[in-house]
């Protein structure tokens, strides 16, 4: 199977260790992941702020870059949701691009989808002897409907104690540009999320999107709180 890593902007710029973790997981399972150097932003920031025409060049670049792969795997529910749910809406006026994008969306997966649905694996042989809680990000939960997939993978990690997060389904308040446009509301939502994380007594707060973890981690840091944000791929690679 020809697999490509779609690392996403925030992971490439701020959390490259998450992309490395995905490669390590796939190699542990006997698969090689290519990293196409020509990959760029998926266009989500453009689309979310109303610049739909400006999103088209990066959508075309995404399709050109990944169309030769059997599977495109990303450690981000948010960016995969952009590809799967918004690409079909945005490329409708370009028949050739629409056909290529529609076919590619069927082969673009968030990490837990690929591991469980495609490879049929739940136990990755990982070991992480810590207490952690899990925040199911909005795009993963509502757009991709990942359900229990990330938790199912984490439940097989040796030594990991998973602690339920009260109000886990509630948004952390980040939401891409939402936190910039609505700082007061975003801050209030973050207050609730940080309080819930602290209530667990966990050492780590895990999630499938480093964007949400940046927001939650910033809130915890300002509170000088102990829980550390960590992408769940890095736990699975441990």
């Amino acid at each position: 199977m020809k697999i490509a890593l779609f690392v996403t902007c925030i992971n490439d710029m701020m959390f490259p260790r998450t992309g490395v973790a995905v490669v390590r997981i796939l190699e542990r399972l006997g698969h090689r992941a290519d990293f196409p150097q020509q990959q760029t932003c998926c266009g989500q920031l453009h689309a979310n702020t109303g610049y739909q025409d400006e999103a088209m060049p990066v959508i075309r670049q995404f399709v050109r870059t990944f169309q030769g792969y059997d599977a495109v795997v990303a450690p981000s529910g948010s960016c995969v949701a952009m590809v799967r749910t918004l690409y079909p809406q945005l490329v409708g006026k370009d028949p050739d691009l629409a056909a290529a994008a529609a076919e590619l969306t069927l082969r673009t997966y968030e990490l837990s989808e690929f591991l469980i649905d495609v490879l049929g694996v739940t136990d990755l042989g990982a070991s992480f002897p810590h207490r952690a809680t899990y925040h199911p990000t909005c795009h993963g939960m509502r757009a991709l409907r990942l359900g229990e997939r990330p938790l199912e993978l984490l439940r097989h990690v040796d030594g990991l104690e998973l602690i339920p997060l009260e109000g886990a389904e509630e948004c952390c308040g980040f939401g891409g540009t939402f936190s910039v446009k609505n700082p007061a509301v975003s801050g209030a939502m973050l207050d609730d999320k940080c309080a819930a994380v602290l209530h667990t007594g966990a050492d780590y707060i895990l999630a499938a999107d480093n964007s949400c973890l940046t927001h939650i981690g910033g809130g915890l840091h300002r509170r000088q709180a102990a829980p550390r944000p960590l992408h769940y791929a890095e736990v699975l690679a441990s």
Side-chain angles (χ1 to χ4, degrees):
M1 184 185 302
K2 192 175 180 182
I3 303 170
L5 169 64
F6 169 39
V7 74
T8 80
C9 298
I10 190 169
N11 290 322
D12 187 34
M13 300 300 294
M14 299 177 63
F15 302 96
R17 63 178 184 268
T18 298
V20 172
V22 175
V23 172
R24 286 177 176 167
I25 291 168
L26 294 176
E27 288 180 344
R28 187 184 296 168
L29 297 172
H31 297 277
R32 171 185 171 181
D34 291 344
F35 181 79
Q37 295 287 333
Q38 63 270 36
Q39 62 181 280
T40 64
C41 170
C42 64
Q44 184 179 180
L45 284 178
H46 308 71
N48 284 354
T49 48
Y51 294 96
Q52 297 187 355
D53 290 341
E54 287 77 5
M56 295 307 296
V58 289
I59 293 175
R60 290 192 181 90
Q61 180 67 15
F62 183 94
V63 173
R64 280 196 297 266
T65 300
F66 292 110
Q67 62 184 359
Y69 287 92
D70 300 315
V72 181
V73 182
S76 168
S78 176
C79 297
V80 171
M82 169 67 185
V83 173
R84 193 176 299 169
T85 64
L86 288 184
Y87 275 19
Q89 299 176 32
L90 296 174
V91 302
K93 296 179 181 178
D94 185 332
D96 291 337
L97 180 61
E103 199 270 338
L104 184 56
T105 59
L106 299 176
R107 294 181 278 111
T108 303
Y109 304 94
E110 190 276 336
L111 176 62
S112 67
E113 292 178 309
F114 185 69
L115 294 174
I116 294 178
D117 299 350
V118 179
L119 299 184
V121 177
T122 53
D123 189 345
L124 299 170
S127 176
F128 193 75
H130 300 281
R131 291 161 52 88
T133 190
Y134 181 79
H135 167 64
T137 64
C138 292
H139 281 92
M141 180 170 50
R142 299 182 173 89
L144 297 181
R145 300 189 182 281
L146 295 181
E148 291 280 303
R149 289 181 183 85
L151 285 170
E152 182 64 18
L153 294 166
L154 290 169
R155 290 186 185 111
H156 286 83
V157 174
D158 186 46
L160 175 61
E161 181 182 352
L162 274 174
I163 305 169
L165 179 65
E166 185 177 350
E169 73 283 358
E170 297 175 7
C171 176
C172 68
F174 180 65
T177 56
F178 175 84
S179 59
V180 177
K181 296 175 179 176
N182 305 277
V185 177
S186 173
M189 297 168 78
L190 179 61
D191 287 342
D192 291 344
K193 185 61 65 176
C194 287
V197 173
L198 290 172
H199 184 70
T200 65
D203 303 313
Y204 290 87
I205 168 68
L206 310 177
D209 280 281
N210 273 323
S211 51
C212 300
L213 286 172
T214 300
H215 190 57
I216 298 170
L220 293 171
H221 179 72
R222 286 193 295 275
R223 290 163 176 77
Q224 298 183 335
R228 294 173 53 191
L230 189 65
H231 195 287
Y232 84 102
E234 296 177 53
V235 175
L236 299 180
S238 62

